[in-house]
Amino acid sequence: MATEKPSSKGQAWFCTTGLPSDVIIEVDDMTFHLHKFPLMSKSRRLHELITEQEKSLATGRNARIQTPSESSQQLDNDTEEKQEIQEEQENEEDEEQCHITLPDFPGGSESFETAAKFCYGVKIDLSATNVAPLRCAGEYLDMTEEYSEDNLISKTERFISQSVLKNIKHSVRTLTSCEGILPMAENLGIVQRCIEAIAGKAAASDPSLFGWPVNDGAANYNVGNEANPRRKFSNVTRAGAANADSWLDELGFLSLSLFRRLIHAMKALNLSGEIIESCLIHYAKKYIPGISRTTRKPSSSSTSVPTENEQRELLETIISNLPKEKTLRSAPNATRLLFGLLRTAYILNASEACRLTLEKKIGSELEQATLDDLLIPSYSYLNETLYDVECVERILGYFLEGMEESSATGGEGEDENTSVRSAGLMLVGKLIDGYLSEIASDANLKPEKFYDLAVALPDHARLFDDGLYRAVDVYLKAHPWISETDREKICGVLDCQKLTLEACTHAAQNERLPLRAVVQVLFFEQLQLRHAIAGTLLAADGGTAAEAERLSSQGGEDHEEEEEESETAGRGALAVVTRPQEGSSTWRAAVRENQVLRLDMDSMRTRVHELEKECTTMKKAIEKIDKIKMGTGGHAEKGGWRAKFGCKFKTQVCDSQEPTVVDTRKPRGHRRTQ
């Protein structure tokens, strides 16, 4: 019956075979005008329904035949009764057609249309999207192999086992098509078989080419045609990456319940964390808008936008299934997506446990983050600052805890792990310094918050403190109203010995720094110059590099020892100058530079002494005036003479003659946030 050409007209479907249809089947809102014999030859259920209809029609026909014969004998002269009999006889032919309704047909009218074509012998094209509805349709119509050879059930089962389950992308599409036929598809085992196939194919993927199953890659890509091995490998790599993205994108069409079952199946097979994390991230990008700042495309019209509650449930499912350990896939892009999930968690008001879990996950790979990732806005009205500093402080605490745990459990390869941890710690130190510079201009940032975040890192996290000095300078510039105590506390986070010469030069001329900080900077700058000069003179004198390094590494414990060493080095330099090596131009240049530097240091020391004397004199004068004012019984104005004349000196003045330099900087240690 291959010559039959079915066609649809509006909400009716006709099979144009040249023969009038003798059965009408309704599926959803579509009416199918078909023939009994093709349907009854393939479907046991349609055979039973049509046979039952024929019996009922035959019974009704006999009843109608008796009724008009009796009425014609009794009412031969009644014209109206004759007309009714004629109308009934005309409609008799239409009433002989069987009328069957199939409620809740799996796959709807589209699936039944394909099944009807199969019954008529029309070749049907099976695919990953229609095979599951057709398998359920065959089960619904009882189109078994026992009833008719090469029937629909055996044909669809063969396609599922030989084509769908051997390809991970086809398995995902078939699993997606089971959404509308879940009761029957679940009972037939289609859902479970697809889930197991997807998890198994993902487990068999090449870890370096994630998403590229070994069997599929060998079948779909002929590597023997490539002459250049390097080009061959790169082409295979690109093919594997493209295949990975294709089936991962297909996961976005699954419902949350099916996706959750798939993730649990992957975990049951002990799949690597990077595979599970990739699945979760791709699924989240499909339904949660805004987690990636670079890809903010509007959702397609075919995909309905989930509600806020659905997004919250989806987000908590994604976060709860993220692998807690650091995966090999961790990269700046993956970390950026995690920060996007964290922002979305705050926007959707997710549970606190959900947010803390995500913060710990981010803390395990903080060295991969960028400054833009850390700039998390404050979504709560309780936070006065522009950015959520407390969140970053907690993430940093989790990172430091992870560093401590990894160092405590270190075994073989301890040196390699230590170097990796040190590199990661220095990256985080640079990142935090940049973050401090960015938030320092916030007028609502308290000095305590700035100080706590600055000292949270250990000393060896920063090779130089130039970035931290920049953040301190920005903070002092944006907060000129803070007290002198707070200014000294903020400057106490700096280690003047770790400032470069450029930073020391800038700090020595920075009017925003407290006097004590400036003196410390000048002192250590002098040490750096002395060490540099001593090393240059020893090198010019033919001294070994080891001796220069040993001499430059010597430092005094207090001011007097440092000054004595400086003078000794100066006298030694002058003694060296008298040696008969002044003929060299390099030697003469070093001598002149040494003399100029000594004059500059002497003038700077004299100027600092003068400033300290002026500060002491002004302090005594102001205190004397305040005492006289209060002794007369009058009420002193708020702030006294110091406020009137704009004096900001405190009662404690820096004195360079003290035996030691007071270091207001507290020891840095690991700071944990509970």
Side-chain angles (χ1 to χ4, degrees):
M1 302 181 69
T3 58
E4 298 174 355
K5 297 181 180 180
S7 61
S8 58
K9 300 179 180 179
Q11 298 297 319
W13 192 91
F14 296 85
C15 186
T16 57
T17 60
L19 299 175
S21 60
D22 52 6
V23 61
I24 299 175
I25 299 179
E26 291 185 4
V27 178
D28 294 341
D29 56 348
M30 182 72 74
T31 302
F32 294 87
H33 297 265
L34 305 173
H35 303 86
K36 297 178 181 179
F37 175 73
L39 301 179
M40 296 174 67
S41 63
K42 289 292 184 180
S43 172
R44 178 183 281 111
R45 182 170 184 178
L46 289 179
H47 183 276
E48 295 174 353
L49 292 175
I50 292 173
T51 303
E52 185 179 350
Q53 283 277 339
E54 288 177 345
K55 290 181 181 180
S56 62
L57 287 174
T59 304
R61 189 183 303 113
N62 293 334
R64 284 192 297 271
I65 290 174
Q66 293 176 1
T67 302
S69 63
E70 294 174 357
S71 60
S72 61
Q73 294 175 2
Q74 298 175 1
L75 304 173
D76 292 335
N77 298 327
D78 196 340
T79 306
E80 293 181 357
E81 292 292 337
K82 289 181 180 181
Q83 292 178 353
E84 292 179 358
I85 294 172
Q86 291 177 357
E87 291 177 357
E88 290 179 359
Q89 290 176 351
E90 290 175 357
N91 295 331
E92 211 172 88
E93 185 177 347
D94 295 338
E95 292 178 354
E96 289 180 357
Q97 290 184 342
C98 296
H99 195 283
I100 299 174
T101 302
L102 298 178
D104 300 328
F105 191 83
S109 58
E110 183 179 356
S111 179
F112 180 80
E113 178 181 346
T114 307
K117 290 179 181 180
F118 177 80
C119 293
Y120 277 91
V122 179
K123 183 180 179 180
I124 60 175
D125 295 328
L126 294 177
S127 64
T129 55
N130 67 1
V131 66
L134 287 178
R135 172 64 181 88
C136 294
E139 190 73 18
Y140 186 92
L141 298 175
D142 200 4
M143 302 173 69
T144 61
E145 195 72 15
E146 293 78 8
Y147 186 76
S148 176
E149 293 183 359
D150 197 19
N151 216 337
L152 185 60
I153 292 180
S154 60
K155 188 177 182 66
T156 52
E157 280 290 345
R158 189 162 52 249
F159 183 82
I160 290 175
S161 59
Q162 295 180 0
S163 179
V164 172
L165 299 181
K166 291 186 177 181
N167 186 283
I168 188 170
K169 186 175 180 179
H170 292 169
S171 299
V172 176
R173 289 183 175 179
T174 302
L175 182 61
T176 305
S177 66
C178 294
E179 296 287 347
I181 53 176
L182 265 184
M184 185 174 290
E186 187 70 48
N187 296 333
L188 295 176
I190 301 176
V191 175
Q192 188 62 29
R193 282 185 290 171
C194 289
I195 290 176
E196 292 176 354
I198 296 170
K201 288 294 180 181
S205 301
D206 187 351
S208 60
L209 307 175
F210 167 57
W212 176 47
V214 178
N215 296 336
D216 294 347
N220 298 333
Y221 189 81
N222 186 7
V223 297
N225 297 332
E226 195 67 58
N228 189 348
R230 182 173 298 179
R231 176 185 290 181
K232 175 172 63 177
F233 179 77
S234 62
N235 289 341
V236 172
T237 303
R238 287 193 294 270
N243 193 13
D245 292 338
S246 62
W247 78 265
L248 286 174
D249 292 337
E250 293 289 338
L251 291 178
F253 297 100
L254 293 175
S255 66
L256 182 58
S257 58
L258 288 180
F259 180 75
R260 189 185 291 115
R261 288 180 57 181
L262 176 61
I263 295 298
H264 291 165
M266 289 182 174
K267 288 186 175 182
L269 292 178
N270 295 324
L271 264 69
S272 63
E274 58 179 314
I275 297 179
I276 297 177
E277 183 176 328
S278 298
C279 296
L280 293 170
I281 292 298
H282 275 75
Y283 192 81
K285 290 169 64 177
K286 180 72 175 180
Y287 290 102
I288 303 178
I291 66 172
S292 178
R293 295 184 175 182
T294 56
T295 55
R296 293 196 175 187
K297 299 179 182 179
S299 58
S300 59
S301 57
S302 60
T303 305
S304 59
V305 179
T307 62
E308 182 176 343
N309 292 331
E310 292 174 345
Q311 290 185 14
R312 186 185 302 109
E313 181 184 2
L314 170 60
L315 180 66
E316 293 179 351
T317 301
I318 295 295
I319 295 175
S320 62
N321 287 283
L322 281 173
K324 295 180 175 58
E325 68 278 0
K326 184 177 180 180
T327 61
L328 297 177
R329 181 181 176 273
S330 298
N333 187 40
T335 307
R336 186 176 300 113
L337 293 175
L338 293 178
F339 274 100
L341 288 175
L342 182 59
R343 293 187 184 93
T344 308
Y346 278 101
I347 294 174
L348 297 177
N349 195 21
S351 62
E352 184 178 358
C354 173
R355 296 196 299 267
L356 292 179
T357 301
L358 190 55
E359 288 175 0
K360 291 180 180 179
K361 173 65 177 177
I362 295 174
S364 65
E365 49 193 68
L366 184 59
E367 68 275 8
Q368 300 289 349
T370 61
L371 178 58
D372 186 57
D373 298 333
L374 290 183
L375 298 178
I376 304 173
S378 295
Y379 296 102
S380 176
Y381 64 91
L382 298 177
N383 294 332
E384 298 179 354
T385 55
L386 179 62
Y387 298 108
D388 196 342
V389 182
E390 295 181 354
C391 176
V392 175
E393 198 171 354
R394 288 195 300 268
I395 293 175
L396 179 59
Y398 294 137
F399 171 78
L400 296 176
E401 288 180 359
M403 295 285 291
E404 290 182 353
E405 292 177 359
S406 60
S407 61
T409 59
E412 297 181 357
E414 181 71 20
D415 296 337
E416 296 181 1
N417 294 333
T418 302
S419 61
V420 171
R421 288 195 300 268
S422 299
L425 185 59
M426 295 186 70
L427 286 175
V428 173
K430 185 177 180 181
L431 179 65
I432 295 300
D433 289 347
Y435 180 74
L436 287 171
S437 300
E438 190 69 26
I439 66 174
S441 58
D442 189 352
N444 294 324
L445 182 62
K446 303 297 183 184
E448 294 78 11
K449 287 291 182 184
F450 183 90
Y451 178 84
D452 292 341
L453 186 58
V455 300
L457 287 168
D459 291 336
H460 57 278
R462 298 181 178 96
L463 185 60
F464 297 103
D465 273 10
D466 288 17
L468 186 58
Y469 167 71
R470 187 180 302 109
V472 170
D473 186 37
V474 173
Y475 186 83
L476 295 179
K477 183 178 180 180
H479 302 78
W481 57 82
I482 63 175
S483 63
E484 191 71 16
T485 304
D486 290 336
R487 296 167 71 89
E488 292 184 357
K489 182 179 180 181
I490 293 298
C491 293
V493 302
L494 294 172
D495 187 354
C496 298
Q497 300 184 64
K498 297 169 70 174
L499 293 177
T500 61
L501 190 58
E502 293 79 7
C504 287
T505 304
H506 185 277
Q509 303 173 3
N510 194 343
E511 298 179 354
R512 289 182 288 271
L513 294 181
L515 184 59
R516 183 182 297 275
V518 174
V519 171
Q520 289 182 355
V521 170
L522 291 174
F523 173 73
F524 288 110
E525 183 182 14
Q526 176 184 355
L527 287 182
Q528 291 183 7
L529 292 174
R530 184 182 69 83
H531 296 161
I533 294 171
T536 303
L537 294 177
L538 285 176
D541 192 32
T544 61
E547 293 177 354
E549 183 179 358
R550 179 179 58 82
L551 181 60
S552 61
S553 62
Q554 292 177 353
E557 297 180 356
D558 52 37
H559 279 286
E560 294 179 356
E561 293 178 358
E562 292 294 344
E563 291 178 358
E564 290 176 0
E565 290 180 358
S566 177
E567 293 176 0
T568 304
R571 289 194 297 269
L574 292 177
V576 173
V577 171
T578 60
R579 297 184 180 182
Q581 296 183 2
E582 298 179 352
S584 173
S585 59
T586 305
W587 178 262
R588 289 195 297 268
V591 171
R592 286 195 298 269
E593 185 180 0
N594 180 31
Q595 293 175 352
V596 172
L597 291 175
R598 285 186 61 80
L599 291 175
D600 291 342
M601 287 188 290
D602 291 340
S603 61
M604 182 61 70
R605 186 183 295 107
T606 303
R607 180 56 180 163
V608 170
H609 291 337
E610 292 176 357
L611 289 175
E612 291 177 353
K613 291 179 181 179
E614 292 179 3
C615 291
T616 305
T617 304
M618 293 177 65
K619 181 196 69 171
K620 293 180 179 180
I622 291 172
E623 291 178 352
K624 184 177 180 181
I625 293 174
D626 289 342
K627 290 180 180 179
I628 295 174
K629 187 77 173 181
M630 296 300 295
T632 57
H635 181 71
E637 297 180 1
K638 185 176 181 180
W641 284 88
R642 282 174 287 186
K644 184 175 182 180
F645 290 103
C647 298
K648 298 182 180 180
F649 297 103
K650 303 299 289 184
T651 57
Q652 183 178 1
V653 181
C654 176
D655 188 2
S656 63
Q657 302 300 326
E658 293 177 356
T660 57
V661 177
V662 179
D663 188 3
T664 60
R665 185 172 178 269
K666 292 183 179 180
R668 300 179 189 173
H670 293 194
R671 186 172 183 273
R672 303 187 184 126
T673 304
Q674 298 296 334

